[in-house]
Amino acid sequence: MPLDYHSLLTAFALSGCGLAITFFVSWLASRTERFLIAWTFGVAFMALGVLIYSWYAQTMSPAVGAAGYTILLAGLAFVFGAGREFRTGILPWRSMAIMATASSLVMAVPMLAGYNGAAIVMLNVAATIILLVTAWDYWLGRAEARLAIPLLTALYVVTGLSFVPCAILLLQDGEWLLSQAPSNWAEDLNIVVCLATLSGIGALSLALNQARLARSHKRDAETDPLTGLLNRRALLRRIAGDIKGPAALVVFDMDHFKATNDVHGHPAGDDVLRSFGKILALSCRSRGLAARLGGEEFALLLPGASLITAAKLADGVRRRLAKRHFSGEGGAFTSTTSAGVAYSEDVVIDFDTLLLDADKALYAAKRGGRDQVAVSADDTEFLAHSWPSSDRRRDAADLVRLKAG
């Protein structure tokens, strides 16, 4: 039974309208994902272009044909833009405009001149190029979803290549002046492929968006908004998950932070916290977990690190903060931090106990005059015998003279 070409065109247009509405509603639910709007326009324009083409197939009016194909190509340009914005976060208006304008011109000029056969060839070539470029753009971002994005890329490639036989048959026939719209197996195959891949591309695009939203929500739930570090709950979750001991824990607390806020203002205090968060993140990088426990208190968990390593790192963080200069309502100022270090040799980390030991060391550092590092009482003797006296002028006895408790 032969395919009803006009019914397939209508089905594509209706599917496109439904998908455009779905993308628009998804954007309303999450307006930060702006690529959904580009997708909405792209699919809507393609659906409208196909409807106008269906009208052109009945009237063979050059103006109607040029209008329908121009809208279709504009829709493809928006689809390309949606893919680029999904990957980079930036809608490439200039590239989209150049793509839509250039492809429309090479199609519209012969169409309006009466050479509709040549115009349809150019349409198919332009559609193939745009879809293959879109596929390549998604392929560049495949690291985000190793399965879904390559599959999406493949669908774009298949869709783009389905336009090729349409152009080849017209070129083989050499008919540049057509009395009716092309009707052959290639046209039927093209619309069937487009109809099938449209649903798949739409479903995968929405699924990728939902996965990204889920990751974003998880990241927001685990991240301190001011410093970008992990929050307390996220740190506990990581420890309860795949973090194994032995490990060292360093707890930091900003010295006289209330006075900083009172004298210099809360914005200046926030600047201090942000700067310290950056210092902490750069200090641990891939070998530890940095978190803001709350207020002006921070933690640094170092799996596999020795007590000496943790104490050295804590002292380095303290020194780097002391060298920073800030400004606020009370003028220029500096800020310091105190730190307490605790160590556990256990494979399963008892965070509450480790935190309690680190807090005791921190309080000892505070009582000893602030701007210094102390270790827990259980670890002091070990550190005193292990710390190399030649490491810096301030030797082990000076660094660990404070005992928790």
Side-chain angles (χ1 to χ4, degrees), residues 230-232 235 251-252 291-295 297-299 351 355 359:
L230 296 175
N231 57 30
R232 186 190 188 100
L235 181 62
V251 175
F252 298 89
R292 183 185 179 193
L293 298 180
E297 190 173 23
F298 295 79
F351 182 74
L355 180 60
D359 277 338

Side-chain angles (χ1 to χ4, degrees), residues 53-81:
Y53 171 74
S54 182
W55 181 22
Y56 164 73
Q58 298 174 10
T59 64
M60 296 303 291
S61 166
V64 173
Y69 288 159
T70 297
I71 294 173
L72 178 61
L73 291 168
L76 290 173
F78 266 101
V79 169
F80 158 77

Side-chain angles (χ1 to χ4, degrees), residues 8-24:
L8 291 174
L9 290 176
T10 303
F12 180 89
L14 292 176
S15 296
C17 289
L19 191 57
I21 293 172
T22 302
F23 276 113
F24 182 70

Side-chain angles (χ1 to χ4, degrees), residues 3 162 165 184-194:
L3 294 171
S162 71
N184 50 55
W185 65 267
E187 295 292 334
D188 291 342
L189 176 65
N190 173 242
I191 192 61
V192 168
V193 169
C194 289

Side-chain angles (χ1 to χ4, degrees), residues 142 145-152:
R142 62 191 180 279
R146 293 291 184 180
L147 177 61
I149 289 183
L151 182 56
L152 186 61

Side-chain angles (χ1 to χ4, degrees), residues 278-340:
K278 292 179 181 178
I279 293 172
L280 209 56
L282 289 173
S283 297
C284 70
R285 297 201 177 180
S286 61
R287 58 177 176 170
L289 298 175
R292 183 185 179 193
L293 298 180
E296 65 271 23
E297 190 173 23
F298 295 79
L300 184 58
L301 181 70
L302 299 166
S306 67
L307 187 61
I308 295 175
T309 299
K312 285 182 178 180
L313 194 150
D315 197 49
V317 169
R318 179 194 65 79
R319 290 173 181 270
R320 279 189 285 276
L321 177 66
K323 293 178 181 179
R324 292 284 180 96
H325 294 275
F326 304 93
S327 61
E329 296 174 3
F333 69 97
T334 59
S335 183
T336 61
T337 185
S338 299

Side-chain angles (χ1 to χ4, degrees), residues 41-220:
F41 280 110
V43 179
F45 282 168
M46 286 193 296
L48 179 59
V50 168
L51 282 177
I52 296 176
Y53 171 74
S54 182
W55 181 22
Y56 164 73
Q58 298 174 10
T59 64
M60 296 303 291
S61 166
V64 173
Y69 288 159
T70 297
I71 294 173
L72 178 61
L73 291 168
L76 290 173
F78 266 101
V79 169
F80 158 77
R84 175 68 61 83
E85 188 172 21
F86 176 81
R87 183 171 66 86
T88 66
I90 301 174
L91 187 67
W93 284 107
R94 179 177 298 179
S95 298
M96 291 166 57
I98 293 173
M99 186 178 287
T101 302
S103 59
S104 296
L105 283 176
V106 297
M107 173 279 303
V109 170
M111 173 66 77
L112 295 175
Y115 296 97
N116 52 358
I120 296 175
V121 169
M122 298 310 299
L123 168 74
N124 288 306
V125 171
T128 299
I129 293 173
I130 293 174
L131 288 167
L132 292 181
V133 169
T134 304
W136 174 249
D137 221 73
Y138 273 105
W139 178 253
L140 293 176
R142 62 191 180 279
E144 180 174 342
R146 293 291 184 180
L147 177 61
I149 289 183
L151 182 56
L152 186 61
T153 301
L155 289 177
Y156 274 111
V157 170
V158 170
T159 307
L161 293 180
S162 71
F163 286 86
V164 174
C166 300
I168 291 176
L169 288 185
L170 287 172
L171 288 172
Q172 287 178 341
D173 293 339
E175 296 184 16
W176 309 123
L177 300 174
L178 300 176
S179 59
Q180 61 181 8
S183 179
N184 50 55
W185 65 267
E187 295 292 334
D188 291 342
L189 176 65
N190 173 242
I191 192 61
V192 168
V193 169
C194 289
L195 187 58
T197 56
L198 177 66
S199 301
I201 289 172
L204 280 174
S205 298
L206 289 172
L208 285 169
N209 179 57
Q210 291 303 312
R212 178 177 284 184
L213 286 176
R215 289 194 300 271
S216 177
H217 292 157
K218 184 177 184 293
R219 184 170 57 251
D220 291 343

